Amino acid sequence: PPFEGTEAFARVSTYYASIGLRVANILAHDATHGYLLTEDLGNQRLLELVQSGTPATPWYLTCADALITLCQNPPPTWGRRYTARDWFAETARFPDWAMPLARGHQTSPAERAHFASLWAPLFTQLSSIPTGLMPWDYQATNMMILGPEPTLANLGLIDIQDARIAPIAQDLAILLRHPALPVLPPGT
């Protein structure tokens, strides 16, 4: 169906492929009816590879290389740009949900405004970090392993339809803080 974002996926996929990142090739696309037929990238995700005991560091460095590649290429003009308002919507979950849960009462408007004022300078600083058309859901469950060596050609990216022009820090944090993975000991 059209609400599934096939048009966005097709645009992001085409852009990623054009800068050397590996995504599923689009075999057929019907934007009117919301259908997209893509190449099958297999069933080996980075998550299971790391959970199986394969050393994680080389693959995570490759994932970081993909983000660097995105920062080294000008983002497309059609990309949705992440703004300070978007950042606040993400961080506002803390005063809107976590604080009330921990304290047993709603966060007051004054507390919420104070919270926003503390974050505002950081949002300004984030705008100076290298940006690119970032995948947004950049985690081990959305990375397919296409070959034995940790290279960009062997790292397939999926679930990219929500990509937006944003600082590298956001996707790097998502990658490194995946809740399904334990904290990795040094040398893995």
Side-chain angles (χ1 to χ4, degrees), residues 42-156:
N43 60 6
Q44 178 69 58
R45 298 183 308 172
L46 178 58
L47 176 66
E48 287 83 18
L49 186 75
V50 171
Q51 288 175 333
S52 75
T54 298
T57 300
W59 283 102
Y60 274 75
L61 289 172
T62 300
C63 295
D65 286 344
L67 293 177
I68 292 167
T69 297
L70 289 166
C71 290
Q72 290 174 332
N73 288 276
T77 57
W78 48 260
R80 177 179 177 257
R81 189 163 295 278
Y82 209 60
T83 66
R85 183 178 175 162
D86 295 315
W87 281 107
F88 183 71
E90 296 291 332
T91 58
R93 291 182 178 135
F94 183 75
D96 294 349
W97 295 95
M99 285 173 60
L101 182 65
R103 300 182 316 171
H105 62 85
Q106 291 280 10
T107 301
S108 73
E111 290 170 322
R112 193 171 196 274
H114 178 68
F115 182 84
S117 73
L118 295 173
W119 281 92
L122 179 60
F123 300 147
T124 301
Q125 289 177 5
L126 286 171
S127 66
S128 67
I129 294 174
T131 62
L133 186 65
M134 298 295 158
W136 190 246
D137 199 9
Y138 201 62
Q139 55 187 314
T141 54
N142 291 330
M143 295 168 196
M144 306 306 290
I145 304 303
L146 308 175
E149 298 300 318
T151 64
L152 287 180
N154 288 334
L155 180 69

Side-chain angles (χ1 to χ4, degrees), residues 158-173:
I158 62 171
D159 195 14
I160 57 174
Q161 65 277 356
D162 295 325
R164 59 197 73 188
I165 299 169
I168 190 175
Q170 177 75 28
D171 284 75
L172 190 57

Side-chain angles (χ1 to χ4, degrees), residues 20-59:
L21 298 179
R22 187 67 171 87
V23 292
N25 291 317
I26 297 172
L27 306 174
H29 183 207
D30 180 348
T32 303
H33 294 100
Y35 293 101
L36 186 67
L37 179 63
T38 66
E39 164 191 19
D40 182 356
L41 294 180
N43 60 6
Q44 178 69 58
R45 298 183 308 172
L46 178 58
L47 176 66
E48 287 83 18
L49 186 75
V50 171
Q51 288 175 333
S52 75
T54 298
T57 300
W59 283 102

